[in-house]
Amino acid sequence: MTEVSSLTGRLLVATPALSDPNFDRAVVLLLDHDEEGSLGVVLNRPTPVGVGDILEGWGELAGAPGVVFQGGPVSLDSALGVAVIPGDEGAVRSRRRPSREDPIGFRRVHGAIGLVDLEAPPELLAAALGSLRIFAGYAGWGPGQLEDELVEGAWYVVESEPGDVSSPDPERLWRSVLRRQRSELAMVATYPDDPSLN
């Protein structure tokens, strides 16, 4: 088997050609990617369910809009917390760990971005977290499956920014992530929602 170059911490941005309705115009943050498969969360699928309605104590820590996001089609009955530690944004593009210790209940994934242990008492993390999003379910790929989708042209792979996790306007994240690219990808942001109406 060929060695897999890790895409952990990067964004998968659905191409207009991707036909799976679960990922139409999706922006996926990859939380884990290696030869055993990939796992990520869709950053731009807010639900009407408030975080405080299902996870007591976490609602006050969740960033606006303060709702649960549908992280993907797998395990919709499970919850994942993804957060950014303020002041660590410079570490995002590197694999370096900051000099200070991570707070209890936080596992760094990439740069300033990490997973929150939702079993931990929220007050342990309250002072450390800059932004928090709660995701119901996740997106998952078996060994080689994501690589096949990349070869087929289903996804653009771009760098993430800490603000992507807590975008105040998640419905526009697909366009804004593409628009900030310094390549022809920026033009894809203007792709119409329904090309047949063009």
Side-chain angles (χ1 to χ4, degrees):
M1 179 175 210
T2 60
E3 186 178 322
V4 173
S5 176
S6 180
L7 300 176
T8 300
R10 311 269 308 268
L11 295 178
L12 298 177
V13 181
T15 67
L18 183 60
S19 60
D20 184 339
N22 289 307
F23 297 110
D24 181 46
R25 301 223 173 184
V27 178
V28 178
L29 173 65
L30 281 176
L31 300 171
D32 191 25
H33 176 249
D34 57 27
E35 63 279 344
E36 295 176 17
S38 306
L39 181 142
V41 289
V42 178
L43 297 177
N44 57 336
R45 296 278 193 277
T47 71
V49 179
V51 170
D53 295 341
I54 61 164
L55 290 171
E56 190 175 329
W58 291 102
E60 300 82 44
L61 299 178
V67 298
V68 175
F69 282 66
Q70 184 176 339
V74 182
S75 293
L76 289 171
D77 58 346
S78 66
L80 282 172
V82 178
V84 174
I85 299 288
D88 285 351
E89 286 84 1
V92 169
R93 297 203 196 291
S94 70
R95 298 233 177 252
R96 76 172 172 80
R97 296 185 61 84
S99 56
R100 62 188 167 126
E101 287 292 313
D102 290 337
I104 294 172
F106 179 82
R107 183 176 64 83
R108 194 170 299 273
V109 171
H110 182 78
I113 301 167
L115 290 169
V116 173
D117 178 1
L118 297 174
E119 298 292 321
E123 55 274 8
L124 282 180
L125 291 149
L129 300 182
S131 62
L132 170 69
R133 281 275 158 86
I134 304 296
F135 298 90
Y138 61 90
W141 295 264
Q145 188 180 5
L146 178 57
E147 288 74 15
D148 290 345
E149 290 183 16
L150 292 172
V151 168
E152 292 166 5
W155 301 98
Y156 304 120
V157 179
V158 301
E159 294 294 330
S160 64
E161 294 182 1
D164 296 334
V165 172
S166 59
S167 171
D169 195 1
E171 290 88 353
R172 295 181 190 223
L173 190 60
W174 185 83
R175 289 189 193 279
S176 65
V177 166
L178 288 171
R179 196 169 289 123
R180 75 179 183 227
Q181 303 309 308
R182 294 182 178 161
S183 65
E184 63 277 356
L185 283 185
M187 292 181 58
V188 177
T190 63
Y191 197 84
D193 291 334
D194 184 355
S196 67
L197 298 176
N198 199 8

